[in-house]
Amino acid sequence: MVVAQAASLSYETLGTRRDEVSARMTTPALSCPYCNSNIVLSKPAVPGQRIRCPRCHELLPALNQEAYGASRFTTASGEPAVQAWQSEQVATETYRFQWANRAVASTIVSIMLVMAAIGLAFAWHTIDKRRQRDHPDSAAPAGLERVVSVRPDRLAALAYMPPKVSVLAGIHVAELMGQDSSRELLSEFRANPGSMIADLEQRTGVKLENIDHIVVGLGAEASIFPPVICVVRTRDPYGARGLRESLKARASEEPRGRTMYHFQVGDFLWYLWCPDDRTIVTSLRSKDMPTEPFAPAAGESYAAHFEPTVRKCLQDDMTEGTQAWIVGSTETLDATFSAMPFLQIPSELRKSLKDVQAFAGWMQLDGKAAWHVTIDCAGLEATDSLSGYLNRLGLERGKDLHLFGNRATTARLASQLSHSLARKREGTRIVLTAESSLESIWEALSNQPR
């Protein structure tokens, strides 16, 4: 009897295994849509079931159970083979849970985006602190506005100049300090003992980094002391009280009802007016002080109240990026020279200037210095006369220039200008252009080799 039971059990076991092998052999293969690997199911799948690829571990839908005839298979306990295999599959997947490639990639990308956002926010909020470490010796004081490159006619100091001027000159200090090469040059020039910049800072207490621009005007008046007005615009409030204390200025009542101050510089007495906390106006005579600044209309520039010849040079000829310039009208210049015989102007030059209506010169510094000069003459004959005078001066390319007193420290600048000089004629206008290095300008100004 025992033998009979054992034989019966062995027969059932063998039958079950034979059924499983048959089911495995009749189960078709799948193709993974993610990695294209072939998958052979060891058990038939039920409808709607998802299986995991053993290669890429992605879930994919299996074929319905009718395609496999899964109802033909049962286990030894009588449970359908498909259900038993599904339970085993679920348990195995739960135990062997792995992240899908897409989920892993999404997680990594999310973490990277969060880190990038944190880094960007940190960099944005620490710009000012990090910029202060770039050039600690010449960094601008905290709180100053960003320097904007503008045409000379947009400089606010022009509003304090009289409508009629013989000569007008300006320098956009803030723009020069905003460039590495020119800032380094000015810093070295300031460090030179007895330099004009060091003297200005010592007398006024206003640092070079706080100056936006300076404009100096010579009024159109035939006098031994023609009107001279100097206007300084600062980037940050300079403090009028501290300025007066540095200059040792004393108050002087003016008939027009406003209080001005006067201070001594060498043998000259200068007058001081502080119209606002960013403007400093000085003049040699109190009567030359402007009563109020010129207010341009909408769309106009600060040069709108000047004569047409001066206004054209500032508005049309000069462009953004012009850091130093000079412009003049010769209508009253000859009378001014006659009133100042100590200037000793050569007679040939004075004769040539009578035929000149206006002149302008400007520099644009950007790693090197580009020089521009324009001279407008009264007519074609006057232009011919001036061209001949310039030829006698040697203002032609390749010829040595003798405009700087032939000093050793100006030889380098004169050589660079002469070899790059270009002169052309445009009707009644003569145009000259040249280039030089910033180092040669420093040598000429400081009178020291660099």
Side-chain angles (χ1 to χ4, degrees):
M1 182 178 181
V2 175
V3 176
Q5 292 178 353
S8 175
L9 180 59
S10 299
Y11 179 79
E12 291 179 2
T13 304
L14 291 174
T16 302
R17 292 180 178 176
R18 185 170 57 252
D19 294 339
E20 293 175 356
V21 172
S22 177
R24 187 180 300 116
M25 293 177 63
T26 59
T27 302
L30 300 178
S31 177
C32 177
Y34 301 104
C35 63
N36 294 327
S37 62
N38 293 325
I39 305 172
V40 179
L41 299 178
S42 59
K43 302 283 186 177
V46 296
Q49 183 181 354
R50 296 168 63 84
I51 63 174
R52 189 177 299 278
C53 176
R55 180 179 178 183
C56 65
H57 303 287
E58 293 286 351
L59 289 175
L60 63 148
L63 297 178
N64 54 39
Q65 81 174 42
E66 286 77 9
Y68 300 100
S71 59
R72 298 180 297 164
F73 305 100
T74 57
T75 60
S77 60
E79 181 183 3
V82 174
Q83 295 180 5
W85 177 80
Q86 182 181 7
S87 300
E88 180 182 355
Q89 176 94 353
V90 173
T92 303
E93 290 179 357
T94 304
Y95 178 74
R96 297 180 180 177
F97 175 76
Q98 297 185 12
W99 286 75
N101 292 347
R102 188 175 301 173
V104 173
S106 300
T107 303
I108 294 175
V109 171
S110 300
I111 294 174
M112 293 175 63
L113 290 176
V114 172
M115 294 178 64
I118 295 175
L120 179 62
F122 177 78
W124 179 267
H125 289 288
T126 58
I127 289 178
D128 295 337
K129 294 182 179 179
R130 290 184 288 107
R131 289 287 79 83
Q132 291 176 3
R133 303 189 185 98
D134 290 349
H135 304 280
D137 296 334
S138 58
L144 296 182
E145 299 178 356
R146 184 176 63 89
V147 179
V148 179
S149 179
V150 297
R151 289 201 319 256
D153 65 305
R154 299 293 176 178
L155 299 179
L158 294 175
Y160 295 89
M161 293 294 160
K164 296 192 66 174
V165 291
S166 295
V167 180
L168 201 60
I171 178 171
H172 197 176
V173 179
E175 190 171 345
L176 291 175
M177 294 297 289
Q179 299 179 4
D180 293 339
S181 56
S182 54
R183 177 175 57 247
E184 181 181 356
L185 199 67
L186 288 175
S187 299
E188 292 183 10
F189 188 61
R190 173 172 54 182
N192 189 25
S195 67
M196 181 176 60
I197 297 177
D199 183 66
L200 177 65
E201 290 184 337
Q202 183 178 3
R203 287 182 181 275
T204 64
V206 180
K207 296 298 181 182
L208 183 65
E209 292 82 7
N210 193 27
I211 297 177
D212 188 83
H213 60 275
I214 303 173
V215 175
V216 179
L218 179 66
E221 180 181 320
S223 171
I224 191 172
F225 288 112
V228 178
I229 301 175
C230 178
V231 181
V232 179
R233 284 281 295 179
T234 62
R235 303 175 62 192
D236 205 41
Y238 56 85
R241 181 176 179 179
L243 175 65
R244 293 194 298 267
E245 291 177 354
S246 298
L247 293 174
K248 298 179 181 180
R250 297 181 179 180
S252 57
E253 293 293 335
E254 192 198 28
R256 285 177 284 188
R258 61 178 175 178
T259 302
M260 289 196 305
Y261 298 84
H262 60 272
F263 60 96
Q264 194 81 19
V265 178
D267 297 331
F268 295 94
L269 185 68
W270 286 82
Y271 288 86
L272 171 68
W273 178 39
C274 302
D276 56 55
D277 60 354
R278 294 193 180 190
T279 306
I280 304 171
V281 184
T282 61
S283 177
L284 281 174
R285 302 183 305 188
S286 61
K287 68 177 184 179
D288 297 329
M289 282 288 187
T291 56
E292 59 182 12
F294 166 71
E300 290 184 340
S301 69
Y302 290 105
H305 66 300
F306 294 134
E307 294 179 330
T309 53
V310 175
R311 184 171 64 248
K312 179 181 180 301
C313 292
L314 293 174
Q315 291 182 348
D316 301 336
D317 298 335
M318 302 180 190
T319 61
E320 295 179 0
T322 301
Q323 296 94 357
W325 50 271
I326 182 172
V327 60
S329 173
T330 58
E331 181 179 349
T332 59
L333 196 58
D334 184 66
T336 303
F337 289 156
S338 300
M340 296 185 292
F342 57 87
L343 292 180
Q344 297 182 354
I345 305 297
S347 58
E348 188 176 7
L349 176 58
R350 288 186 58 180
K351 181 180 178 181
S352 299
L353 289 176
K354 289 182 180 180
D355 298 328
V356 174
Q357 291 182 331
F359 63 90
W362 64 95
M363 282 196 306
Q364 295 176 324
L365 284 74
D366 187 9
K368 61 181 179 181
W371 299 67
H372 304 267
V373 175
T374 60
I375 305 174
D376 294 308
C377 301
L380 295 177
E381 185 177 351
T383 308
D384 294 335
S385 176
L386 181 61
S387 296
Y389 176 71
L390 296 179
N391 290 334
R392 290 190 293 274
L393 286 178
L395 287 180
E396 296 181 6
R397 176 174 293 185
K399 290 188 176 181
D400 294 334
L401 297 177
H402 304 283
L403 301 178
F404 304 103
N406 293 327
R407 291 184 288 116
T409 53
T410 61
R412 185 178 177 186
L413 176 61
S415 176
Q416 292 177 357
L417 292 177
S418 64
H419 286 83
S420 62
L421 180 64
R423 193 180 86 188
K424 63 180 179 179
R425 178 172 172 173
E426 299 175 351
T428 59
R429 166 175 282 196
I430 297 177
V431 180
L432 299 96
T433 58
E435 292 182 351
S436 70
S437 64
L438 300 184
E439 290 78 8
S440 63
I441 298 177
W442 188 90
E443 290 179 354
L445 292 176
S446 64
N447 201 24
Q448 291 183 3
R450 191 170 190 264

